[in-house]
Amino acid sequence: LGALYKGSNVVIGKFDATANDLPTSVPFSVSGYPTIKFKKAGAKDYVDYKGQRTAAAFVDFLRKNAVNKVEIADPEGLYESKLKSEAVPASQDGPVTVVVADNYEKVVHDNDKDVLIEFYAPWCGFCKRLAPIYDELGALYKGSNIVVAKLDVTANGLPSSVPFSVSGYPTIKFKKAGTKDYMDYEGDRTTEAFISFLEKNAVNKVEVKNDTKKEKRDEL
């Protein structure tokens, strides 16, 4: 990777944390190895790199995030990111929008849409218990500017533009319309609680009628 960018305005650096102290101007400490950070030109803020540790993934990240654009000679497509992805669904007939790696940007980062997304694993017991509640929620918002979505993390990678990794299931995040920032959903896993959260946080205001609002459910 360093050889690809050698002499350009994108610097690939390394720092031996066992032999050097970090300057006081550095706003973080290092406790695990390797720790990989990215700093844009003109900024002093750092972004955690959490993508795959392959040359293709690093190049893809730098293409999307670096201020200085550097063309990499790649006639054979060796440095094109090959993110694991299921096939993009031919249709979205179900109550919950199915997201895969190859349609993530289009669906989740749609500026006009508020998106509640569940990152799940098919074998996860908590995910299975959530499924009927989440389907009910998806049906209530189907066709609106509030998207209720899900992504199978065992079958799809996360694009480098996603600023987090997923290690527990289900992980539920919310992205407001007009941003690429995510909020953790930490409320009860009931239809009523999800609706209350969306009413409070979504940019798009959608009125829904929940006929099961008074129905009691066991919390997950």
Side-chain angles (χ1 to χ4, degrees):
L1 184 69
L4 291 172
Y5 288 95
K6 188 72 174 180
S8 75
N9 282 337
V10 174
V11 177
I12 309 299
K14 64 181 180 180
F15 180 91
D16 183 350
T18 67
N20 299 277
D21 293 327
L22 289 172
T24 57
S25 60
V26 176
F28 58 84
S29 59
V30 175
S31 57
Y33 308 104
T35 292
I36 304 172
K37 300 276 188 177
F38 174 70
K39 186 195 75 66
K40 284 189 177 184
K44 289 188 177 180
D45 298 327
Y46 292 78
V47 175
D48 292 326
Y49 177 81
K50 295 181 177 180
Q52 295 178 325
R53 294 172 186 170
T54 65
F58 283 125
V59 169
D60 183 61
F61 176 86
L62 291 170
R63 282 172 175 161
K64 291 176 178 176
N65 293 281
V67 172
N68 297 302
K69 302 304 179 185
V70 177
E71 290 296 324
I72 299 297
D74 187 21
E76 297 180 7
L78 297 178
Y79 302 111
E80 291 298 325
S81 179
K82 296 177 178 63
L83 195 63
K84 179 173 69 171
S85 179
E86 294 178 286
V88 175
S91 62
Q92 296 282 3
D93 296 329
V96 175
T97 298
V98 177
V99 176
V100 299
D102 286 346
N103 72 350
Y104 192 101
E105 292 289 341
K106 181 179 180 180
V107 176
V108 182
H109 290 166
D110 185 335
N111 264 344
D112 296 329
K113 303 290 179 65
D114 294 285
V115 180
L116 184 73
I117 181 167
E118 175 202 5
F119 299 90
Y120 74 98
W123 45 259
C124 165
F126 290 113
C127 303
K128 291 176 182 178
R129 290 174 63 188
L130 176 61
I133 297 169
Y134 208 64
D135 282 349
E136 182 177 85
L137 183 73
L140 291 171
Y141 288 96
K142 188 74 174 177
S144 75
N145 279 340
I146 296 179
V147 177
V148 177
K150 63 182 179 181
L151 180 140
D152 179 354
V153 182
T154 69
N156 297 276
L158 292 179
S160 58
S161 59
V162 176
F164 56 83
S165 58
V166 174
S167 57
Y169 310 109
T171 292
I172 304 172
K173 300 273 188 177
F174 176 69
K175 186 205 71 71
K176 283 189 178 184
T179 76
K180 287 189 177 180
D181 298 326
Y182 291 80
M183 296 172 57
D184 292 324
Y185 177 81
E186 297 176 335
D188 292 337
R189 294 173 188 168
T190 64
T191 307
E192 307 86 66
F194 282 124
I195 291 172
S196 295
F197 176 87
L198 293 171
E199 287 176 344
K200 179 180 178 181
N201 292 286
V203 173
N204 297 296
K205 301 305 177 185
V206 177
E207 290 189 12
V208 297
K209 182 180 179 182
N210 181 20
D211 293 334
T212 63
K213 191 169 185 179
K214 294 181 181 179
E215 182 180 332
K216 291 184 178 179
R217 297 181 181 275
D218 293 331
E219 289 187 10
L220 301 182

Coordinates of all heavy atoms in Angstrom, one line a residue, residues 115-152:
V115 N -33.7 6.0 8.4 CA -33.5 4.6 8.3 C -33.2 4.0 9.6 O -32.3 4.4 10.3 CB -32.3 4.2 7.3 CG1 -32.2 2.7 7.2 CG2 -32.6 4.8 5.9
L116 N -34.0 3.0 10.0 CA -33.8 2.2 11.2 C -33.3 0.9 10.7 O -34.0 0.2 9.9 CB -35.1 2.0 12.0 CG -34.9 1.3 13.3 CD1 -34.2 2.1 14.4 CD2 -36.3 0.8 13.9
I117 N -32.1 0.4 11.0 CA -31.6 -0.8 10.5 C -31.1 -1.7 11.6 O -30.4 -1.3 12.5 CB -30.4 -0.5 9.5 CG1 -29.9 -1.8 8.9 CG2 -29.3 0.4 10.1 CD1 -29.0 -1.6 7.6
E118 N -31.5 -3.0 11.4 CA -31.1 -4.1 12.3 C -30.0 -4.9 11.6 O -30.1 -5.3 10.5 CB -32.3 -5.0 12.6 CG -31.9 -6.2 13.4 CD -32.8 -7.4 13.2 OE1 -33.8 -7.3 12.4 OE2 -32.6 -8.4 13.9
F119 N -28.9 -5.0 12.3 CA -27.8 -5.9 11.9 C -27.9 -7.2 12.6 O -27.9 -7.2 13.9 CB -26.4 -5.2 12.2 CG -26.2 -3.9 11.5 CD1 -26.7 -2.7 12.1 CD2 -25.7 -3.8 10.2 CE1 -26.5 -1.5 11.4 CE2 -25.5 -2.6 9.5 CZ -25.9 -1.4 10.2
Y120 N -28.2 -8.3 11.9 CA -28.5 -9.5 12.6 C -27.7 -10.7 12.0 O -27.1 -10.6 11.0 CB -30.0 -9.8 12.4 CG -30.4 -10.2 11.0 CD1 -30.6 -11.6 10.7 CD2 -30.6 -9.3 10.0 CE1 -31.0 -12.0 9.4 CE2 -30.9 -9.8 8.7 CZ -31.1 -11.1 8.4 OH -31.4 -11.5 7.2
A121 N -27.9 -11.8 12.8 CA -27.3 -13.1 12.3 C -28.5 -14.1 12.3 O -29.3 -14.1 13.3 CB -26.2 -13.6 13.2
P122 N -28.6 -14.9 11.3 CA -29.8 -15.8 11.2 C -29.9 -16.8 12.3 O -31.0 -17.2 12.7 CB -29.5 -16.5 9.8 CG -28.7 -15.6 9.1 CD -27.8 -15.0 10.1
W123 N -28.8 -17.2 12.9 CA -28.8 -18.1 14.0 C -29.1 -17.5 15.4 O -29.3 -18.2 16.4 CB -27.5 -18.9 14.1 CG -26.3 -18.0 14.0 CD1 -25.5 -17.8 12.9 CD2 -25.7 -17.2 15.0 NE1 -24.5 -16.9 13.1 CE2 -24.6 -16.5 14.4 CE3 -26.0 -16.9 16.3 CZ2 -23.8 -15.6 15.2 CZ3 -25.2 -16.0 17.1 CH2 -24.2 -15.4 16.5
C124 N -29.1 -16.2 15.4 CA -29.2 -15.5 16.7 C -30.7 -15.6 17.3 O -31.6 -15.3 16.7 CB -28.9 -14.0 16.5 SG -29.4 -12.9 17.9
G125 N -30.8 -16.2 18.5 CA -32.1 -16.4 19.1 C -32.8 -15.0 19.4 O -34.0 -15.0 19.2
F126 N -32.1 -14.0 19.9 CA -32.7 -12.7 20.1 C -33.2 -12.1 18.8 O -34.3 -11.5 18.8 CB -31.7 -11.8 20.7 CG -31.3 -12.1 22.1 CD1 -30.0 -12.5 22.4 CD2 -32.2 -12.1 23.2 CE1 -29.7 -12.9 23.7 CE2 -31.9 -12.4 24.5 CZ -30.6 -12.8 24.8
C127 N -32.5 -12.3 17.7 CA -32.9 -11.8 16.4 C -34.2 -12.5 16.0 O -35.1 -11.9 15.4 CB -31.9 -12.0 15.3 SG -30.3 -11.3 15.7
K128 N -34.3 -13.8 16.2 CA -35.5 -14.6 15.8 C -36.7 -14.1 16.6 O -37.8 -14.0 16.1 CB -35.3 -16.1 16.1 CG -34.3 -16.7 15.1 CD -34.0 -18.2 15.4 CE -33.0 -18.8 14.5 NZ -32.7 -20.2 14.9
R129 N -36.5 -13.8 17.9 CA -37.6 -13.3 18.7 C -38.0 -11.9 18.3 O -39.2 -11.5 18.4 CB -37.2 -13.3 20.2 CG -37.0 -14.7 20.8 CD -36.5 -14.7 22.2 NE -37.3 -14.0 23.1 CZ -37.0 -13.7 24.4 NH1 -35.8 -14.0 24.8 NH2 -37.9 -13.0 25.1
L130 N -37.1 -11.1 17.8 CA -37.4 -9.7 17.4 C -38.2 -9.8 16.0 O -38.9 -8.8 15.7 CB -36.1 -8.9 17.2 CG -36.2 -7.5 16.7 CD1 -37.1 -6.7 17.6 CD2 -34.8 -6.9 16.5
A131 N -37.9 -10.8 15.2 CA -38.4 -10.8 13.8 C -39.9 -10.4 13.7 O -40.3 -9.5 12.8 CB -38.1 -12.1 13.2
P132 N -40.9 -11.0 14.4 CA -42.3 -10.7 14.2 C -42.6 -9.2 14.6 O -43.4 -8.6 13.9 CB -43.0 -11.7 15.0 CG -42.0 -12.2 16.0 CD -40.7 -12.1 15.3
I133 N -41.9 -8.7 15.6 CA -42.1 -7.3 16.0 C -41.6 -6.4 15.0 O -42.2 -5.4 14.6 CB -41.4 -7.1 17.4 CG1 -42.1 -8.0 18.5 CG2 -41.5 -5.6 17.8 CD1 -41.3 -8.0 19.8
Y134 N -40.4 -6.7 14.4 CA -39.8 -5.9 13.4 C -40.5 -5.9 12.1 O -40.7 -4.9 11.5 CB -38.3 -6.4 13.3 CG -37.4 -5.3 12.8 CD1 -37.1 -4.2 13.6 CD2 -36.7 -5.4 11.6 CE1 -36.2 -3.2 13.2 CE2 -35.8 -4.4 11.2 CZ -35.6 -3.3 12.0 OH -34.7 -2.3 11.6
D135 N -41.1 -7.1 11.8 CA -41.9 -7.2 10.6 C -43.2 -6.3 10.7 O -43.6 -5.6 9.8 CB -42.4 -8.6 10.3 CG -41.3 -9.5 9.7 OD1 -40.2 -8.9 9.3 OD2 -41.4 -10.7 9.7
E136 N -43.8 -6.3 11.9 CA -44.9 -5.5 12.2 C -44.6 -4.0 12.1 O -45.4 -3.2 11.5 CB -45.5 -5.8 13.6 CG -46.7 -5.1 14.0 CD -47.2 -5.5 15.4 OE1 -46.6 -4.9 16.4 OE2 -48.0 -6.4 15.5
L137 N -43.5 -3.6 12.6 CA -43.0 -2.2 12.5 C -42.8 -1.9 11.0 O -43.2 -0.8 10.6 CB -41.7 -2.0 13.3 CG -41.2 -0.6 13.4 CD1 -42.0 0.3 14.3 CD2 -39.7 -0.6 13.8
G138 N -42.1 -2.7 10.3 CA -41.8 -2.5 8.9 C -43.1 -2.3 8.1 O -43.2 -1.4 7.2
A139 N -44.1 -3.1 8.4 CA -45.4 -3.0 7.7 C -46.1 -1.6 7.9 O -46.7 -1.0 7.0 CB -46.3 -4.1 8.1
L140 N -45.9 -1.1 9.1 CA -46.5 0.2 9.5 C -45.9 1.4 8.7 O -46.6 2.3 8.4 CB -46.4 0.5 11.0 CG -47.2 -0.4 11.9 CD1 -46.8 -0.2 13.4 CD2 -48.7 -0.2 11.7
Y141 N -44.6 1.3 8.4 CA -43.9 2.4 7.7 C -43.6 2.1 6.2 O -43.0 2.9 5.6 CB -42.6 2.6 8.4 CG -42.8 3.3 9.8 CD1 -42.8 2.6 10.9 CD2 -42.9 4.7 9.9 CE1 -43.0 3.2 12.2 CE2 -43.1 5.3 11.1 CZ -43.1 4.6 12.2 OH -43.3 5.2 13.5
K142 N -44.1 0.9 5.7 CA -43.8 0.5 4.4 C -44.3 1.6 3.4 O -45.4 2.1 3.5 CB -44.6 -0.8 4.1 CG -44.2 -1.4 2.7 CD -42.9 -2.0 2.7 CE -42.5 -2.8 1.4 NZ -41.2 -3.3 1.5
G143 N -43.4 2.0 2.4 CA -43.8 3.0 1.4 C -43.6 4.4 1.9 O -43.9 5.3 1.1
S144 N -43.1 4.7 3.1 CA -43.0 6.0 3.6 C -41.5 6.4 3.5 O -40.7 5.7 3.0 CB -43.5 6.1 5.0 OG -42.5 5.5 5.9
N145 N -41.2 7.6 4.0 CA -39.8 8.1 4.0 C -39.1 7.7 5.3 O -38.0 8.2 5.6 CB -39.7 9.6 3.9 CG -39.9 10.0 2.4 OD1 -39.6 9.2 1.5 ND2 -40.2 11.3 2.2
I146 N -39.7 6.8 6.1 CA -39.0 6.1 7.2 C -38.8 4.7 6.8 O -39.8 4.0 6.6 CB -39.8 6.3 8.5 CG1 -39.8 7.8 8.9 CG2 -39.1 5.4 9.6 CD1 -40.6 8.0 10.2
V147 N -37.6 4.2 6.6 CA -37.3 2.9 6.2 C -36.9 2.0 7.3 O -36.1 2.4 8.1 CB -36.2 2.9 5.1 CG1 -35.8 1.5 4.7 CG2 -36.5 3.8 3.9
V148 N -37.6 0.9 7.5 CA -37.2 -0.1 8.5 C -36.5 -1.2 7.7 O -37.1 -1.9 6.8 CB -38.5 -0.7 9.2 CG1 -38.1 -1.8 10.2 CG2 -39.2 0.4 9.9
A149 N -35.2 -1.4 8.0 CA -34.4 -2.3 7.2 C -33.6 -3.3 8.1 O -33.5 -3.1 9.3 CB -33.4 -1.4 6.4
K150 N -33.0 -4.3 7.4 CA -32.2 -5.3 8.1 C -31.1 -5.7 7.2 O -31.2 -5.7 5.9 CB -33.1 -6.5 8.5 CG -33.7 -7.3 7.4 CD -34.6 -8.4 7.9 CE -35.2 -9.2 6.7 NZ -36.1 -10.3 7.3
L151 N -30.0 -6.1 7.8 CA -28.8 -6.6 7.0 C -28.2 -7.8 7.8 O -28.0 -7.8 9.0 CB -27.8 -5.5 6.9 CG -26.5 -5.9 6.1 CD1 -26.0 -4.8 5.2 CD2 -25.4 -6.3 7.1
D152 N -28.1 -8.9 7.0 CA -27.5 -10.1 7.6 C -25.9 -10.0 7.6 O -25.3 -10.0 6.5 CB -27.9 -11.3 6.7 CG -27.3 -12.7 7.2 OD1 -26.4 -12.7 8.1 OD2 -27.6 -13.7 6.6

